[in-house]
Amino acid sequence: NILKDLGYDSKFDLWVDASAGDLWDESGYRLAITNNALYSSEQYQAYWLDLVRQYGLRFIEDPFREQDYASWKFLTNAVDNAVVIGDNFYSTNPERIAEGARERYAH
């Protein structure tokens, strides 16, 4: 874990606010700023799991676009040492709040 290697594991947690709705371009999730990679929903799920495992990522905010319900649910259920947060996901649609709570789309 990178925080442990740096001696900060007792003081800090790693967070990412992905705002992934902005990364979606109808072909998939495009990481235009970094390597211009294009990910399907399933590939992007694996990408997040890898970051959690590799770096001990603790909080993931808005890892998927708001309409990618399956990916939200998958990641929320797949990680037990990270928290999936959906402020963009929930703030834009009151019906989504009720469905998301019922279906556990985020923690």
Side-chain angles (χ1 to χ4, degrees):
N1 179 311
I2 194 167
L3 288 175
K4 187 174 183 178
D5 293 346
L6 294 172
Y8 295 124
D9 56 323
S10 66
K11 297 179 182 181
F12 299 101
D13 289 316
L14 292 178
W15 287 63
V16 171
D17 182 352
S19 194
D22 297 330
L23 303 176
W24 183 259
D25 74 0
E26 298 306 319
S27 300
Y29 296 95
R30 183 168 303 279
L31 303 184
I33 294 175
T34 56
N35 61 359
N36 208 36
L38 180 67
Y39 293 93
S40 69
S41 290
E42 293 78 16
Q43 291 169 321
Y44 210 43
Q45 293 168 11
Y47 171 85
W48 285 116
L49 286 177
D50 185 51
L51 288 180
V52 168
R53 290 181 187 131
Q54 189 173 27
Y55 297 105
L57 190 59
R58 180 77 174 105
F59 297 92
I60 310 164
E61 187 173 330
D62 297 311
F64 304 102
R65 70 186 181 113
E66 289 81 2
Q67 299 78 14
D68 195 352
Y69 299 129
S71 291
W72 281 91
K73 192 169 187 172
F74 170 83
L75 188 61
T76 298
N77 289 307
V79 296
D80 57 1
N81 56 339
V83 177
V84 178
I85 303 165
D87 71 323
N88 292 354
F89 181 77
Y90 288 115
S91 68
T92 59
N93 187 319
E95 291 82 24
R96 201 178 293 142
I97 294 171
E99 182 178 351
R102 186 176 56 254
E103 296 294 325
R104 292 193 38 124
Y105 291 143
H107 293 109

